[in-house]
Amino acid sequence: MEEIQSQSDHYRSSSSSASSPASRVPSSNFFYLRKPGAFRQPISFEDSPDWDDTDIEVKVEEGGGDSINTATTPVSPSLSKLNSGSLPSPPLPEGAIVARKIAGASIVWKDLTVSIKGKRKYSDKVIKSSHGYALPGTMTVIMGPAKSGKSTLLRALAGRLPDSARVYGEVFVNGVKSRMPYGAYGFVERETTLIGSLTVREYLYYSALLQLPGFLFRKRSAVEDAILAMSLGDYANKLIGGHCYMKGLPSGERRRVAIARELVMRPHILFIDEPLYHLDSVSALLMMVTLKKLASTGCTLIFTIYQSSTEVFGLFDRICLLSNGNTLFFGETLACLQHFSNAGFPCPIMQSPSDHFLRAINTDFDRIIAMCKNWQDDHGELSSVNMDTAVAIRTLEATYKSSADAAAVETMISKLTEKEGPSLKSKGKASCITKTVVLTWRSLLIMSREWKYYWLRLILYMFLALCIGTVFSGLGHSLSSVVTRVGAVFVFVSFTSLLSIAGVPAQLKEIEIFTCEEANRHSGTLVFLLGQLFSSIPFLFLLSISSSLVFYFLVGLRDDFSLLMYFALNFFTCLLVNEGLVLLIASVCQNIFWSILILVTIHMVMMLSAGYFRLRSALPRAVWMYPISYIAFHTYSIQGLLENEYIGTTFAVGQVRSLSGYQALQSAYDISADSNSKWGNLLILFLMAVGYRVLVFILLQFRVRKTLSLRCLFRCNENTNNPR
């Protein structure tokens, strides 16, 4: 950390010399130290790396300390010159071991223009003719104010734009214009959904099982490497947390876990959207030091950032500065200070460079200046940038296009693309069977640890069954008890089904996790639904058995084991249908309030048409009978339970006359006289459970392809001029 501090101190002294408070004149002599004690050297872009020598040997410190590890000097002297601007790291201790070789991968974008219809009110062009590159072992940051196109450029490089986007230009990986295969890169979203009931090691291990093929010991090794790379050793066996009953990991460590999940694949290139999102200054510096250590292993890091402190800014290797989709500068971070100075906007002393950059190009500051104009007249300038922001942006863009930095970038791009390097290969995927088993086991573990999934519902179901059973207890088996017993069955099925809405938060959490994993192709719609179904079956069976036993004996239904088992099986299938309905509505709404509101409405409508308040044969045929009564699962569940109880029974009426159970129910509920019809109702319930999940499958597939659009290929148009 002393080395980082000395570098940051030197950076501040360099930026101060670039902008003297006395003259505010751009300096023509802008130099900085590459390494402590070295001669001052001007910024230069020399020689593209030799592809045959891009493998660098990595040495990691035993014990996994927090110091920045460094890579040994690569064979290619030209690559050494390219990486000479990176932050020097402390020397490795004697006896350090070689962990593995990592083949570096370069990425180059040339004349990249991205158009998304409706993204901007004033223009569909979110990115306009951007040039740049990122090299192995370096950190390249995309910086700019809000809505400047940072995330769009990052997604364009990773090939993760929506289908509505149109990409013009070229993107090269190791000098080859091709899409990056699975496993060659990792992408970390700004907000990543983690599983709070798992420990860090468990979460990463399940992620490795979903991502990687091969043997288990290799996956464990990849997990331990990821934990070491992100300095998570102290938190490896702690729950991620984040729930109301557990504090969970701090935000900085949660962000590290999200990055470590992508490192399990050991990617060549890592894209991170806002790695400092919601982090304080200390956590932000620690995060960037960790990423600097990761870059020293040969990984290419590209990430977006809105704002940073001076210490964090000093860790970046190269910066791509955007405003309204226009590239105002691309080059080494310290050279950006010289660029602003040359354009007439020197950075004041005691001001963070990133704050100064964003102040100059953020149009929102025009409103602040207008509001504070009277105050400015009395107390001087609010900032050293005293012109209109739009004028400042045009000045910076024009200065960059005519600068030697832009010419050097063009030269570097030409050298990186004139020779094809090794193409990146896919690392393979886990099989669908493996993913299904992993998701099932992981969901079982999550459901067993979190009370909001099924344990709370078990308590509520038992309490409700006890209440209904005691209210309707002592009915006997006379003819007069038939109508009351029908009411008891209706109340039990309807109210317990309504309680299934308590599973909405858990289902929404499952969908969020699936969306996050599907975005990086770690999971799939089919394996997600199968895993969710298989893992829920034991808990639903426990709910059905426990509730059925309490209700069955308190109400005093027929004392027959086979009839009891049918009752439990019917109720289990009913709960299975409920789970599918809840999952469907949660997938559509993606909001807990609207999901609960819609589900309550659906249940009320189904209960009205279930045939208890009015016989199905007497319902209005339009709407209520066709189709509502036929799509209400209450109808088939209640009808099956009543057929199970009354078909084959008789009731004495006086001394010479008797009524069958079917005849006794005619005035209270419509059932079939066929003794096998109860199995037909059970089959219909089973088909409903399958049908709801088929609808969820179609919906999630549609969301992935149309709404999320996470697998968009680059559409390069070489014969069309890129719009400016």
Side-chain angles (χ1 to χ4, degrees), residues 488-501:
V489 172
F490 173 81
V491 170
F492 176 74
V493 172
S494 300
F495 284 20
T496 52
S497 299
L498 197 60
L499 270 182
S500 65
I501 299 176

Side-chain angles (χ1 to χ4, degrees), residues 109 131-133 140 318-320 327-331 400 405 409:
W109 60 98
H131 296 72
Y133 60 90
T140 302
R318 292 177 182 85
I319 180 174
C320 179
T327 302
L328 304 186
F329 178 80
F330 180 87
Y400 173 68
D405 290 325
V409 171

